[in-house]
Amino acid sequence: MMQQYASRTDGHPANPGAVVNDLKILSIARRARRGELSADEIAALQQLRPDVPYPGTMPGRG
């Protein structure tokens, strides 16, 4: 995330949209670590990386 910041003295992000997206991704990762994702969210993420299977049985599916 630090690469998104400009080397300006005011410290504002060079691309505020990219920082917001990074924060959303980190939020999803935090929820995943806590086991708080729904089966639909897990399935959507699984479609992004089908080569990395979900460990065990998908919640709500068995």
Side-chain angles (χ1 to χ4, degrees), residues 12-30:
H12 288 91
N15 183 348
V19 172
V20 170
N21 288 337
D22 287 347
L23 293 174
K24 287 180 185 178
I25 292 167
L26 290 171
S27 173
I28 292 168
R30 182 185 68 233

Side-chain angles (χ1 to χ4, degrees), residues 30-53:
R30 182 185 68 233
R31 290 179 50 233
R33 283 192 305 274
R34 294 178 178 176
E36 299 172 350
L37 296 180
S38 70
D40 290 337
E41 289 173 309
I42 293 169
L45 290 171
Q46 184 66 59
Q47 288 178 356
L48 296 173
R49 290 292 306 271
D51 57 315
V52 181

